[in-house]
Amino acid sequence: MNADNSREDAPEREEFRETDAGPVPEGEPEFRPYHHPAAGWGAAKSVTRLLLRERELVDGPRAIMRMNHENKGFDCPGCAWPDDTKGLHLDLCENGVKHVTWEMTRKRVGREFFAAHSVTELSGWSDFALEDQGRLTEPMVYDADSDHYVPISWKDAFELVGRTLRELDDPNQASFYTSGRLGNEATFLYQLMARELGTNNLPDCSNMCHEASGRALQASLGTGKGTVDLKDWESADALFILGVNAASNAPRMLTALAEAYHRGAQIVHVNPLVEAAATRTIVPHDFVDMALFKTTKTSTLNLQVRIGGDLALLRGMAKAILEESATDPRALDREFIERHTEGFDAYRALCEATPWEELERQSGLSRADILKAARVYGEADRSIISWCLGLTQHEHGVDTVREIVNVLLLRGNLGREGAGPSPVRGHSNVQGNRTCGIDHRPSDAFLSRLAEVCEIEPPRAHGLDTVATIKAMHSGDVKVFVGMGGNFAMAAPDTPYTYAALRACELTVQVSTKLNRSHLVHGRRALILPCLGRTEKDHQRKGVQSTSVEDSMSMVHLSVGMKKPASPHLLSEPAIVAGMARAALPDSGTPWEWYIEDYDRIRDTMASALDGFEDFNRRVRLPLGFRIKQPARELVFLTPSGRAEFSAAALPDVVPTDGTLALGTMRSHDQWNTTIYSDNDRYRGIKNLRTLVFMNRSDMRERGIDAMGPVDITSTAKDGSERFLNGYLAVPYDIPRGCAAGYMPEMNVLCALGDFSTQSDQPIMKHVRVTISPSA
Ligand SMILES: Nc1nc2c(c(=O)[nH]1)N[C@H]1C(S)=C(S)[C@@H](COP(=O)(O)OP(=O)(O)OC[C@H]3O[C@@H](n4cnc5c(=O)[nH]c(N)nc54)[C@H](O)[C@@H]3O)O[C@H]1N2
Ligand SMILES: Nc1nc2c(c(=O)[nH]1)N[C@H]1C(S)=C(S)[C@@H](COP(=O)(O)OP(=O)(O)OC[C@H]3O[C@@H](n4cnc5c(=O)[nH]c(N)nc54)[C@H](O)[C@@H]3O)O[C@H]1N2
Ligand SMILES: [Mo]
């Protein structure tokens, strides 16, 4: 570990903290199963409590009314679920409100705060306490002599970044991380800066999130994205929701599910846990329903698959459809298969050769249950299959998403209304980040066009992703880390290893809105660069600027902040990128300052450089923005064969052996990734507790573990190394045998850096091999 950043006489800084992301609990840990509908009054109460805490009762609600309006407000920074297209002006959710309020808090963390608290002292604070200090107000630099952050001017901060980058032996000694909040314009400039410097080291949060989806869809359909939009959701006969906790993480999906139920659509949830969205809801914006406590069912079938067992379930559905087709030719869309696909015969042979017993064992479901899902699918004219992290953060995430496409292709559920694959993205602009160039494996075509339009010579060699960046920082190969948003130290796997990697850097730069752990786990030199939030007015030379974002369904629209900035010293993200770029590239021909005066100019360049952005400035100002063209939607497949490709992957073995359990790490209801709002997880019945593990009762009994009793968790990595979390409380829960679940980011301690998927390079965060025993 790097000793340079700790003074000899300073108290030893804790290597990592493992039990205290959340606030000080307000009472005893509690588990009481939740029987109320999702959203509704529980949500309303929770919002009010939060507005009170952030002292935002006046401005908060006013701002919220401006959220997600047709190009007149700002885009909800909460999640990537699209805005309602029917001109519904109030489509919001509890967690979106929480998230906006979090950004708009009146609390501030200024220079006095940093003068009063050393970095070593702050390292002992919980993640909740750090963010709870409020918004950052001015640039700060780490002063090793005093172990405090001290103020620095923007000019000097940029010069420090620029000088350090210029002095590197090789531009690949720097890595530029993006968290999915960054707007498209800043994104474009950021990747341009990295490539002009000469590196494709552009890791992003997507490397931990939907990388598998992108790679699978690309291989199968020749596009990295889903093909459906909200209108399709509104006309599907069957919706399959796999591995999503929608009520917490994409709450606006509840509206779509309730509508689907009303029109008689089938809704199948596939999840080891019966999450709140798989029960019933009170539609959040329907005030009549709210007042009358009128609930709507949001599920017609729940299948509690084993962790990692989705591929087996999907293959079982395909097998059943193929068996059915022997007697009923309508079971398959043969014309579609013949005209548009490749590899059907091999896939059919594979399904036929896989015995039902194996599909049952691997999915954890009975044949009868698999057939139920197959029947829903076989009887629906139009099906959408939707998924999130429960499918992607696995060794075989790519194979599973490709299996989704296989199943869809069998019945021609592609390229027509109400049908297709629909990944639920995470961060509000994570999809736009990729579209606008954040990709460590850019295509040659993308680079050639960038070279031509921007007159630069981008490097052609692929760069480092998230896991590779951590390794390279650890070994000293990467010396500069820039974090464009996010909280890398907490979000990444293998917490102590990641800490050591960041601390080995020459310089770490964090562009942030709030104080977080990544500011305290830093390189020899470190900068905190505070930026405007999405809710805030961005004044530049040519007036107030807007930025664009792309949602889960490829709709691009403008987002305009309306609040006074949290401090007069904040800069916008595009301006921060331009400042760093100018300092690092003094001879650059790119007009960095000119771009910042008017973001229309950035958009004009993007229109020439990016596929699908033609006439960007005009189209983005249309009332609902525009949809990036989706070739697969038009049945144009940019694959080697020019057709949609069936895959034929071997069935993975996901059944835990030797008394181990498969542990999935996930979010609570009251958290946004590494941001923790409270220690409660309302829909799962949890109060005042985050250091827990959900277990099946029989698994607990077998191990002599009491309900809410303390347990020690040991994970075993692929390389045999072990990691520990001790003193967690075991919650007896309705979860299949052999499975366990608990919260990120605390459980990142258990995820070995080397345990990433060989298909997607994604850290395996949903299938951690653990043993659990009563605490010693
Ligand atoms: N309020 C709020 N909204 C968010 C976020 C947030 O933290 N808070 N995060 C955002 C981000 S970046 C993302 S990527 C998304 C994440 O959205 P989700 O994917 O919903 O996130 P997780 O909390 O990881 O939940 C994973 C779900 O998959 C299930 N699961 C686990 N293993 C398996 C499996 O093997 N098979 C199946 N079928 N299911 C499984 C879990 O029980 C859980 O319901 O949400 C986004 N929206
Ligand atoms: N074990 C485990 N680990 C996981 C996951 C898991 O399921 N299990 N999920 C993974 C996933 S899906 C993701 S996406 C990553 C998330 O990884 P990140 O995106 O890196 O983390 P976040 O918690 O979303 O980042 C929160 C920070 O972003 C900053 N921020 C907020 N708004 C803005 C803004 O407008 N501009 C800027 N510049 N900064 C802002 C704030 O300072 C805040 O502290 O975590 C991954 N880690
Ligand atoms: Mo994510």
Side-chain angles (χ1 to χ4, degrees), residues 99 102-103 131 136 177-182 205-206 208-209 389 393 427 484-488 490-493 511-516 519 531-534 573 665-667 672-675 744-745 747-748 751 765-766:
H99 214 56
W102 172 93
E103 181 175 298
E131 293 206 0
L136 295 158
Y177 175 72
T178 309
S179 162
R181 194 76 79 75
L182 198 65
C205 64
S206 202
M208 303 182 266
C209 185
L389 301 181
Q393 293 178 328
H427 270 292
M484 252 307 177
N487 185 359
F488 194 80
M490 291 309 286
V511 180
S512 314
T513 50
K514 284 199 173 178
L515 186 63
N516 68 37
H519 304 131
C531 64
L532 292 173
R534 199 177 277 176
E573 285 160 327
T665 61
M666 58 187 187
R667 292 142 183 78
W672 217 98
N673 294 343
T674 66
T675 297
M744 62 86 73
M747 282 190 166
N748 265 326
C751 302
M765 291 162 160
K766 290 287 187 278

Side-chain angles (χ1 to χ4, degrees), residues 80-260:
W81 188 257
D83 301 337
D84 201 301
T85 50
K86 286 180 306 198
L88 182 77
H89 288 279
L90 188 65
D91 190 16
L92 50 83
C93 76
E94 170 194 359
N95 278 349
V97 173
K98 274 189 212 159
H99 214 56
V100 170
T101 313
W102 172 93
E103 181 175 298
M104 297 195 317
T105 177
R106 281 163 201 261
K107 302 178 195 168
R108 295 289 178 269
V109 27
R111 57 174 71 187
E112 309 73 28
F113 174 86
F114 287 109
H117 306 284
S118 71
V119 170
T120 299
E121 183 205 331
L122 292 173
S123 300
W125 291 23
S126 72
D127 298 278
F128 172 85
L130 294 174
E131 293 206 0
D132 194 39
Q133 301 312 307
R135 289 286 301 276
L136 295 158
T137 56
E138 62 180 318
M140 305 296 290
V141 63
Y142 181 66
D143 173 43
D145 288 337
S146 63
D147 187 37
H148 281 259
Y149 272 101
V150 296
I152 183 173
S153 70
W154 278 106
K155 184 164 168 289
D156 291 347
F158 291 147
E159 184 43 37
L160 174 58
V161 179
R163 194 174 57 240
T164 314
L165 288 171
R166 286 196 311 268
E167 283 169 2
L168 293 176
D169 300 330
D170 179 334
N172 291 310
Q173 290 176 332
S175 193
F176 298 91
Y177 175 72
T178 309
S179 162
R181 194 76 79 75
L182 198 65
N184 289 332
E185 291 73 10
T187 298
F188 184 77
L189 294 185
Y190 190 51
Q191 62 85 34
L192 183 62
M193 170 179 77
R195 295 191 165 119
E196 204 173 322
L197 277 164
T199 183
N200 284 312
N201 289 349
L202 288 161
D204 63 359
C205 64
S206 202
N207 298 149
M208 303 182 266
C209 185
H210 268 292
E211 188 75 42
S213 307
R215 295 215 193 166
L217 294 172
Q218 191 68 45
S220 294
L221 303 176
T223 167
K225 305 172 185 179
T227 64
V228 310
D229 60 21
L230 261 195
K231 273 207 225 94
D232 294 318
W233 274 74
E234 285 159 9
S235 53
D237 304 311
L239 294 166
F240 293 82
I241 318 288
L242 287 71
V244 193
N245 175 16
S248 298
N249 296 332
R252 288 184 289 151
M253 187 200 281
L254 290 174
T255 312
L257 297 183
E259 276 176 12

Side-chain angles (χ1 to χ4, degrees), residues 433-465:
N433 295 152
R434 270 294 155 93
T435 310
C436 298
I438 303 300
D439 190 348
H440 63 286
R441 307 154 70 235
S443 71
D444 269 331
F446 172 86
L447 292 176
S448 298
R449 197 152 151 199
L450 189 72
E452 197 191 310
V453 173
C454 297
E455 294 174 23
I456 63 164
E457 274 174 48
R460 299 284 165 161
H462 286 177
L464 303 175
D465 66 359

